Amino acid sequence: MSKDVAAELARSSRRSAWQAREPRPPRPRALVGPYALFWFYVRWLRRHLVQELLAGIGVAIAVALVFATIVAAGSVSGSSSQAVRTVIGPATLQLHARSSEGISATLLRAAQRLPGVLAAGSELETTATLRAPSGRTATVDLAGAGTSLVFLDGLARTIPTATLSARGIGLSSRTAGELAIDSPAAQHSSVELYARGKAASVPISAVLGREAFGALSHTSVAVMQLAELQRLMGLRGRVSRILVQPRPGEAAKVRSELAGLAHGRIDVTAADQDISLLSQALRPSDQASALFATVSALLGVLLATAALLLSAPERRRAIADLRLMGMRRSAIVEMFAVQALMLGSAASLLGILCGYVLSVTLLAQSPSYLAEAFTLGTQTALSGASLLAALSTGIVSCGIAAMLPLFDLRDRNPLRNVYQEQGIPGNALHASARHALNGGALVVLIAATVLLATGPSHALLACVLLALGTVCTVPLALSAVMALCAKLAQWRQNLTAMPVALSSLQATTLRSFALAATGALALFGSIALGGAGGDLAGGIAGFAHSYAADATLWVGNRGDDQAVVDFAAGDLGRRISRLPGVSRAATYRGGFVVIDGRRVWMIARPPGGARRVLSSQI
């Protein structure tokens, strides 16, 4: 007996040793390898290609709108900044006249003699209207430049010598396009020049493209020899500004010396002052663009969610199966995050391409209301920030939509949420979520009301909150409509299609919410933008009516609708008042001045004029 026990113990010990040497089953990996991720997504696309395409198209639409809006808004300031820097070159300071009469040109020699000045140049600027032989007209910024300026900003190497010859005018390629001067014969003809109440025929000396004029070729600009423009405008010995390039490290000293030359009657500012002034003037437009981009991004999230919810049941079943197979939660999250990244990246690239086409076609026009006060460029300017914003919109939209099924990971039972849920699995909007959305809508509404009550400057932020509140209130409105339709179906038994539609909506509550929220947001945006456009048009019409109420006829520079370009009227007013049928003739003055970092339209109305001209603006 003892021998049998000993043998059994020996066999047991050998069996234990063999089992100890057997490999243990591998533990599930926390993350999945790149090949497995790619293979899994390819198989998923084979089964749900239509749903993924719909989601990608929705995200691409949102990305296109966001990218086009940002690029169009940034192109105005970007291209205009390039034009300003082309003019000023290395100059960092300037003496700028406060009126259209300019400053004495002798200040240029005084500035050049300052010990800290490396170089200086002067120019004369005015707004002019050009009329081509074909009859087409263009309002341009006309600059008279001397050799000192073109050598300062570096254009002396590229501008043809004949451009600055006597009685010649050089047109930018954009100006030539506006005048339809594209043939060689037309480029050697003349144009009629109207400025400061004077008219003259000036031969075209050159059409300046980018190779000769740099960024100025994309602006409505013309250039002449300084002395000739002074003669035509009756401003002999006058210039609009003097650009100064200080020696390294002596900018502060030179600024102080220039202030001594100005005697408080001339502005001493940075040479690129127009860039900061334009940025300030574009701030309302930039805020409106930001609002449109935000609404577009929210629309992208809703479109992607509505499309991906079509395959939500399959996604939730896949999550349950993977968990039953032993895959860790971190690996499942990684898998869905990579899918969202791949779909968002592909949709974003398509959206960026479509957005660029929109930015150079439908949204390529500069805000013409600023053309009287600034030299505006029309070149499309791309930036890394706009690309990053567009990519982020697409990826985040797909990420939010694709991560909704991952809420099942919170439950320890993988099959509970998939097979024990009313309606189609993955499309139920639980009561807790509805209550949270209703509470969020109430909070957002209160916040928007408070913002609107504090001041008009918060209106755009309030609009963003109202757009978000519109989305949050959709479940409440949807429930109310469904309850009303259920009562109607009970009252009218012949409405046989309504119960079927109600059961379908109840089975896909979350998908119905996404689709209804998309329509609600689109309707909100169209009403908000349409109302804003109507208010703007109405305000402009009211102001224009009050502005022109002083007289039936106005006499001014051709193309100067706002009467901001002055001219020497002489005794013109007295002679007009003597004409038969004229009861009164008065002098009006207007122009742009810089006040506290803003370019302000200053209006000097005649005595006895309409007093309500600015009532709508105060």
Side-chain angles (χ1 to χ4, degrees):
M1 186 69 180
S2 60
K3 292 182 179 180
D4 295 338
V5 171
E8 184 63 27
L9 289 175
R11 285 194 297 269
S12 177
S13 62
R14 286 194 299 268
R15 190 183 302 112
S16 299
W18 174 258
Q19 291 177 352
R21 289 195 298 268
E22 287 183 348
R24 294 181 179 179
R27 297 182 62 186
R29 298 177 59 181
L31 297 177
V32 184
Y35 177 78
L37 291 172
F38 180 76
W39 178 83
F40 185 86
Y41 192 47
V42 169
R43 291 200 59 184
W44 180 265
L45 286 177
R46 289 176 180 175
R47 298 179 58 187
H48 306 91
L49 181 61
V50 176
Q51 292 91 334
E52 297 291 309
L53 284 178
L54 289 175
I57 292 173
V59 172
I61 292 174
V63 170
L65 294 176
V66 171
F67 185 71
T69 303
I70 295 176
V71 169
S75 295
V76 177
S77 58
S79 58
S80 301
S81 299
Q82 293 178 6
V84 170
R85 292 190 173 94
T86 301
V87 173
I88 66 176
T92 58
L93 296 172
Q94 67 175 348
L95 289 169
H96 200 285
R98 295 176 178 174
S99 72
S100 60
E101 298 298 322
I103 58 179
S104 175
T106 58
L107 289 174
L108 174 61
R109 292 189 293 272
Q112 290 173 334
R113 288 195 296 266
L114 295 176
V117 173
L118 183 61
S122 62
E123 68 172 345
L124 178 62
E125 301 170 339
T126 187
T127 301
T129 299
L130 304 180
R131 185 175 184 272
S134 61
R136 300 188 64 171
T137 61
T139 300
V140 301
D141 294 320
L142 180 59
T147 56
S148 59
L149 179 65
V150 294
F151 275 104
L152 173 65
D153 58 27
L155 292 176
R157 299 188 304 270
T158 57
I159 292 183
T161 306
T163 303
L164 298 179
S165 62
R167 292 190 53 77
I169 184 171
L171 308 177
S172 66
S173 56
R174 173 176 172 79
T175 302
E178 293 177 352
L179 295 174
I181 299 176
D182 47 11
S183 63
Q187 294 178 8
H188 290 85
S189 61
S190 300
V191 293
E192 294 293 325
L193 188 153
Y194 304 94
R196 290 181 57 81
K198 301 179 182 297
S201 178
V202 184
I204 300 175
S205 57
V207 174
L208 305 172
R210 186 170 183 83
E211 69 286 349
F213 221 22
L216 290 173
S217 61
H218 300 284
T219 61
S220 298
V221 169
V223 62
M224 304 181 59
Q225 201 267 344
L226 176 60
E228 178 64 12
L229 183 59
Q230 289 173 334
R231 184 187 66 82
L232 290 176
M233 299 296 102
L235 295 172
R236 294 185 182 273
R238 312 294 291 182
V239 294
S240 298
R241 59 174 171 169
I242 297 173
L243 296 168
V244 177
Q245 179 188 4
R247 297 185 186 275
E250 300 189 23
K253 177 184 177 181
V254 172
R255 191 184 188 102
S256 176
E257 293 172 342
L258 291 176
L261 292 177
H263 295 296
R265 297 188 297 269
I266 305 171
D267 290 332
V268 181
T269 63
D272 60 352
Q273 183 191 36
D274 278 3
I275 298 177
S276 59
L277 294 176
L278 179 60
S279 299
Q280 195 281 329
L282 286 172
R283 190 172 300 170
S285 176
D286 292 341
Q287 291 175 344
S289 299
L291 171 63
F292 186 79
T294 302
V295 174
S296 300
L298 186 57
L299 185 65
V301 174
L302 294 175
L303 289 173
T305 302
L308 291 180
L309 282 175
L310 296 174
S311 59
E314 290 80 1
R315 290 179 183 272
R316 300 184 71 183
R317 281 194 290 267
I319 292 176
D321 294 340
L322 291 173
R323 291 182 64 188
L324 291 175
M325 293 168 56
M327 181 174 286
R328 291 190 175 185
R329 290 181 173 89
S330 58
I332 297 175
V333 172
E334 178 199 12
M335 187 178 299
F336 278 78
V338 170
Q339 291 183 12
L341 178 62
M342 295 174 65
L343 178 62
S345 300
S348 297
L349 292 177
L350 177 61
I352 288 174
L353 179 61
C354 297
Y356 179 77
V357 175
L358 284 175
S359 65
V360 299
T361 53
L362 298 179
L363 303 179
Q365 298 182 2
S366 299
S368 56
Y369 65 91
L370 296 176
E372 292 276 2
F374 299 96
T375 300
L376 301 179
T378 58
Q379 190 177 10
T380 302
L382 301 178
S383 64
S386 59
L387 291 172
L388 182 61
L391 284 172
S392 301
T393 299
I395 295 174
V396 171
S397 299
C398 284
I400 294 175
M403 294 300 170
L404 291 178
L406 294 180
F407 284 104
D408 289 349
L409 296 177
R410 299 176 299 176
D411 198 331
R412 293 184 177 182
N413 186 354
L415 302 179
R416 189 197 310 265
N417 293 325
V418 178
Y419 296 106
Q420 298 180 7
E421 189 177 84
Q422 295 181 354
I424 297 178
N427 277 279
L429 187 62
H430 299 287
S432 59
R434 291 196 297 269
H435 294 331
L437 288 174
N438 294 336
L442 181 60
V443 172
V444 167
L445 179 61
I446 294 174
T449 304
V450 171
L451 286 175
L452 288 175
T454 54
S457 59
H458 302 139
L460 287 177
L461 180 57
C463 286
V464 174
L465 293 178
L466 287 176
L468 185 60
T470 301
V471 175
C472 294
T473 54
V474 167
L476 181 62
L478 185 61
S479 300
V481 171
M482 292 174 63
L484 180 62
C485 291
K487 294 291 184 181
L488 183 62
Q490 294 177 358
W491 180 53
R492 299 292 300 272
Q493 300 293 330
N494 58 341
L495 298 176
T496 56
M498 188 170 291
V500 178
L502 287 174
S503 62
S504 177
L505 289 175
Q506 291 170 353
T508 58
T509 310
L510 188 57
R511 190 188 308 168
S512 303
F513 159 67
L515 292 174
T518 303
L521 186 62
L523 187 61
F524 170 85
S526 62
I527 293 177
L529 294 177
D535 292 342
L536 179 62
I540 292 175
F543 173 78
H545 177 75
S546 300
Y547 175 75
D550 287 341
T552 306
L553 297 176
W554 290 63
V555 178
N557 293 287
R558 183 188 293 266
D560 184 19
D561 297 331
Q562 297 178 348
V564 295
V565 181
D566 199 6
F567 65 94
D571 62 344
L572 183 60
R574 180 174 53 83
R575 290 188 287 124
I576 291 177
S577 62
R578 294 177 179 177
L579 294 177
V582 176
S583 61
R584 180 174 178 265
T587 302
Y588 168 94
R589 289 184 180 272
F592 293 103
V593 296
V594 178
I595 300 177
D596 193 23
R598 298 171 181 261
R599 183 152 290 171
V600 179
W601 181 13
M602 180 174 288
I603 299 175
R605 307 187 67 81
R611 295 185 178 183
R612 295 183 55 82
V613 64
L614 294 178
S615 61
S616 62
Q617 306 296 311
I618 297 177

